[in-house]
Amino acid sequence: MDLLLIATYVGLCTIIFKTFKIPLNKWTVPTAALGGVFLIGALILLMNYFHPYAKFAKEVFVTTPIVPTVRGPVIAVEVEPNQHVEAGAVLFRIDPIPFELEVVRNRARLTEVSQGSLASEEDWKSARAQVDAARTNRDRAKQAYDRYAAAPTAFTAKEIEDRRQLYLGSEAELESAMARERSLRLKIEDAYEGEDAQVAQLRAELREAEYDLANTVIRAPEDGTVTQLAVRPGMMAVPFPLAPLVTFLPDQERVMVGSFWQNSMALIEVGAAAEVILDGVPGHVFKGTVLRVAPAMAEGQIQGRGALVSADALAKNGRAIAVVALDEDLDTYNLPRGVQGQVVVYGDRFSHVAIMRKVLLRMVGWLNYVYPIK
């Protein structure tokens, strides 16, 4: 843009010199040159500071790498590359047979253990009944022993001893029945959220197996387009995040991201007016507004690691990043995602200098008919 401004001034000076037939001498030429230096220098300083220009701007978008959560051979691919799909549409399928068998095994184990849990509950009820019967027998034997012991002259010592032994035997039977009842009761009370612990564990394993089976069908996470389809039937799908099989482009707002010098960071505010030119649409200026400004620059970040941070990292120059939302829909121009261009953000002060910035921006846009200016 600076070269265009200088070229424009030189052209104006040439026209003025020829129109008014001003002689070229040691007074007129230095005057025009020095005047141009001061005039253009002042205009460039005001224009660059109050109306910053991003020479490098690009449309930025987010993609979703599709990584399977289960391992298995791919048996079918249901979509074509660059095809728009709705959320839930099937992208490809993994062989489900091993996962179906795992579901069947877990269901069988759950049924077996559930039936065993019901049988344990019935055993506990039976043990309670046995405790009651043993207690009744113990009480009857104790009453008989007390009656014999209370009249030692009416019964022989052998008869009294026999009654005592019967009482002690019934007491032991009661203790054995109570121990068995306590064991069965503790087994039943060993529950998780009101359910037998083993049954709850098997139910969780069954849900996990059903989850894995459901994930053998890979679906679109939301509305979007499959931009890169690197999977074919017969390939082995592996849940490895660094090797996605499909690159999915969700439907999202198209925005431009520009990088600006740091001297104008304080003037780039959210909601400020902006203009954008694109290499793919020569001669056209897109209106827009600043949507947000990145709160940090990557050149200043550090992370904990084993090595010290080098001082060379401090020598890297960072640029402020601003996101601009366009008023027009780029889809109407049949432009692919990721187009590049230039962005200008207009400040509130020195609006007359903004006119010059607008003119220069449009001149750069016209030059895109020949070749992009970078």
Side-chain angles (χ1 to χ4, degrees), residues 12 24 37 41 49 54 63 67 80 107 115 121-122 125 154 182 241 258-259 261 268 278 316 335 351 355 363 371-372:
L12 289 176
L24 301 177
V37 170
Y49 183 75
T63 60
V67 179
E80 296 293 333
R107 285 178 179 172
Q115 292 176 350
E121 187 173 354
E122 294 299 325
K125 293 180 180 179
R182 284 195 300 270
S259 62
W261 290 111
I268 303 177
L278 301 176
K316 295 181 180 179
L335 294 175
S351 57
I355 297 175
M363 293 174 67
Y371 60 94

Side-chain angles (χ1 to χ4, degrees), residues 116-173:
S117 178
L118 294 176
S120 297
E121 187 173 354
E122 294 299 325
D123 292 341
W124 175 62
K125 293 180 180 179
S126 176
R128 290 178 59 187
Q130 291 176 4
V131 169
D132 294 337
R135 183 178 288 110
T136 300
N137 293 333
R138 190 275 314 268
D139 294 342
R140 187 182 299 113
K142 184 177 185 300
Q143 292 175 0
Y145 168 68
D146 291 342
R147 187 173 63 253
Y148 273 65
T153 59
F155 302 98
T156 64
K158 183 178 182 304
E159 290 176 335
I160 296 175
E161 181 63 22
D162 290 342
R163 291 296 175 179
R164 191 176 75 85
Q165 293 298 328
L166 290 174
Y167 165 65
L168 294 177
S170 63
E171 184 73 27
E173 291 179 358

Side-chain angles (χ1 to χ4, degrees), residues 44 55 59 68 104 123 162 164 227 278 315 352:
I44 289 177
K55 184 178 181 181
E59 181 189 11
V104 172
D123 292 341
D162 290 342
R164 191 176 75 85
T227 59
L278 301 176
H352 58 283

Side-chain angles (χ1 to χ4, degrees), residues 117 121 188-200 203:
S117 178
E121 187 173 354
I188 293 175
E189 291 178 352
D190 184 17
Y192 174 76
E193 296 184 354
E195 188 177 35
D196 183 79
Q198 189 175 4
V199 173
R203 197 181 301 278

